[in-house]
Amino acid sequence: MSDPRHDLRPTPRTSPGASPLALLGDWLLNRRIEDRLSREILQVTGTTEISMREDGRIVWSESGVLVRGAADARPIPVRRELLIERRARPLDGQRGAASPDEDWMVLFADGRDFHPWTPGRAVVHPCGEDRYDGLVEIRDEREWHVTWEVTGPAKDMTIRSVLTAPQA
């Protein structure tokens, strides 16, 4: 029987293949990190901005504060930036979300590949001896989720991010 923590199958409300262009704008970020090795729960709250650059890349910019589980823990400012760019479709014939000849790839800020943009389908990102199993789920035009199950000799955690549109 498989471990339910590693079940990254999409829910029925997921929009497989949704373009990252559909997410342009500002989002409220709520991230919960369950670190099973340290037995800590960490919480990040803040904002995410998804914006288009002149070069055609999409910028995924997060900022907020991280709070450890202790009641007297001091908030720690956090920031992260990712890029999403169109890539030519691989020759294996698999069709992506952007067009018949293009797929999207999520990159680290320094330009290294992170994972393919495949909402509704699981992705894997090897990081040294650790493994990140992820899933992006577009619930509707007001909410999307990113979940990572991280395992390896140095890590054992679940990272769940819920992004919601600000109230009008």
Side-chain angles (χ1 to χ4, degrees):
M1 179 174 223
S2 68
D3 185 337
R5 293 178 304 168
H6 299 279
D7 184 4
L8 294 178
R9 289 176 291 182
T11 62
R13 297 183 342 187
T14 300
S15 299
S19 167
L21 294 170
L23 301 176
L24 294 176
D26 295 323
W27 298 88
L28 301 176
L29 168 66
N30 188 340
R31 177 173 294 140
R32 177 185 165 92
I33 303 164
E34 179 186 343
D35 187 335
R36 289 177 287 277
L37 290 181
S38 69
R39 294 188 165 99
E40 271 192 296
I41 302 292
L42 301 101
Q43 191 74 31
V44 175
T45 55
T47 58
T48 297
E49 180 185 2
I50 309 291
S51 59
M52 182 65 82
R53 289 192 344 188
E54 288 183 22
D55 66 2
R57 286 179 166 180
I58 295 171
V59 179
W60 175 339
S61 181
E62 299 176 348
S63 63
V65 293
L66 179 142
V67 177
R68 294 187 178 278
D72 60 347
R74 298 184 92 152
I76 301 167
V78 293
R79 296 187 65 75
R80 178 173 81 156
E81 185 171 288
L82 300 170
L83 300 170
I84 308 172
E85 71 177 15
R86 286 187 172 143
R87 296 268 178 94
R89 181 172 39 109
L91 296 177
D92 65 7
Q94 291 197 358
R95 191 172 206 163
S99 78
D101 336 24
E102 294 181 320
D103 289 314
W104 293 95
M105 177 64 76
V106 180
L107 312 170
F108 292 105
D110 65 7
R112 290 177 296 128
D113 287 354
F114 185 10
H115 62 85
W117 175 264
T118 56
R121 292 194 345 227
V123 297
V124 175
H125 171 72
C127 185
E129 294 182 9
D130 297 321
R131 175 183 164 123
Y132 287 66
D133 290 286
L135 180 66
V136 174
E137 300 177 275
I138 313 297
R139 298 300 179 101
D140 57 38
E141 65 277 354
R142 301 200 46 81
E143 183 176 323
W144 54 295
H145 297 189
V146 181
T147 303
W148 290 100
E149 289 293 339
V150 187
T151 55
K155 297 176 184 163
D156 184 13
M157 65 179 68
T158 301
I159 304 168
R160 287 191 178 91
S161 301
V162 176
L163 296 107
T164 54
Q167 298 293 328

